[in-house]
Amino acid sequence: MKTLVVYLMSGSRTPELAAAAVEGGADIVELGFPFSDPLADGPVIRRAAERALREGMRTRACLECLERTHELVPDVPLVPMTYAALLEAYGWERFATDARHAGASSLIVADLPAGERPELRRIQLVAPTSTAARLRIAADETDGWLYLVTVTGTTGARADLSPALAGLVTRARAVTDAPLYAGFGISTPDHARAAAELADGIVVGSRAVEVAEDGPEALRDYVRTLREGVDSVVAN
């Protein structure tokens, strides 16, 4: 069975939104911890981060959001996704400990290269531009699964699935047996189906964040369409 990961920005409504995403078929939920200069993120997630910061979602509030989400969906892996400056300010070890105690199963630090701070267990990201050496380091150090960034650029919905994904999957499979989940630019059931044909799972962020603005029911229904797309691969 292919894995469906849904990204949501931390906020006061996020625990209920996460529960709705799980009801729709999400296997894993990423929780964005907002940062003022999110280099990996496109306009949708940037705006969501700005709203979250205006709402007062600093690190402690995000950890409380994580804890509340864990209470609602205790059996679902939850993965905070943020940037190195936030951990530097909060304290690297302190963040890892507090996130784990709040219910995190792992974490993603979008701008922390593989090989740096290897003691910090985290899901590593690789991209079509990753060198063979960098890909091997990321594969060796990743926690649970390897995040395949399908495009050279920021997050955001795109018209078509990146043609670079197939090659990246081939290169990654040559160096690791870890599950490969593809993200960035996946927003429709057709994208989900096409990506799941190549990878072990998919990650949907920007479009999920947009739909979440319309509330839990809208998000649940949207995630359900992604689930159907992913599951159609298994059925064929």
Side-chain angles (χ1 to χ4, degrees):
M1 182 176 177
K2 305 287 184 171
T3 299
L4 173 57
V5 186
V6 172
Y7 171 100
L8 297 169
M9 181 61 67
S10 295
S12 59
R13 301 191 306 155
T14 302
E16 289 71 25
L17 289 167
V22 171
E23 185 180 349
D27 300 299
I28 298 172
V29 176
E30 284 183 34
L31 294 177
F33 280 34
F35 179 55
S36 58
D37 189 21
L39 298 178
D41 292 315
V44 170
I45 292 180
R46 281 178 175 270
R47 288 193 296 269
E50 291 168 359
R51 289 194 299 269
L53 290 170
R54 288 197 300 269
E55 186 183 327
M57 296 303 296
R58 304 301 187 264
T59 303
R60 173 49 56 188
C62 290
L63 290 168
E64 291 171 356
C65 174
L66 169 63
E67 185 173 17
R68 174 60 179 152
T69 303
H70 180 62
E71 291 172 354
L72 292 183
V73 287
D75 299 323
V76 175
L78 302 176
V79 181
M81 182 173 184
T82 189
Y83 289 83
L86 185 150
L87 275 70
E88 183 71 34
Y90 191 83
W92 295 89
E93 292 184 10
R94 179 187 174 205
F95 184 92
T97 298
D98 288 357
R100 185 172 60 252
H101 288 167
S105 61
S106 187
L107 65 123
I108 297 172
V109 187
D111 59 344
L112 184 62
E116 294 190 19
R117 293 194 173 269
E119 75 283 358
L120 184 69
R121 294 298 299 169
R122 63 192 188 274
I123 295 160
Q124 301 282 353
L125 293 88
V126 295
T129 54
S130 296
T131 65
R134 182 66 65 186
L135 199 155
R136 283 193 297 271
I137 293 170
D140 288 343
E141 294 185 356
T142 201
D143 185 21
W145 49 279
L146 191 62
Y147 195 138
L148 306 186
V149 177
T150 67
V151 298
T152 303
T154 60
T155 59
R158 289 166 171 82
D160 300 302
L161 185 68
S162 171
L165 176 58
L168 182 56
V169 168
T170 298
R171 294 174 61 212
R173 290 206 191 282
V175 297
T176 185
D177 293 327
L180 309 176
Y181 300 166
F184 284 52
I186 299 173
S187 61
T188 70
D190 285 343
H191 291 164
R193 183 181 304 107
E197 290 276 6
L198 299 168
D200 301 305
I202 67 163
V203 185
V204 178
S206 293
R207 183 57 185 152
V209 169
E210 285 183 318
V211 175
E213 295 177 12
D214 293 327
E217 290 187 7
L219 180 62
R220 179 200 61 206
D221 293 345
Y222 169 65
V223 172
R224 190 168 288 156
T225 68
L226 298 172
R227 181 81 259 170
E228 291 170 354
V230 168
D231 288 347
S232 70
V233 174
V234 180
N236 290 338

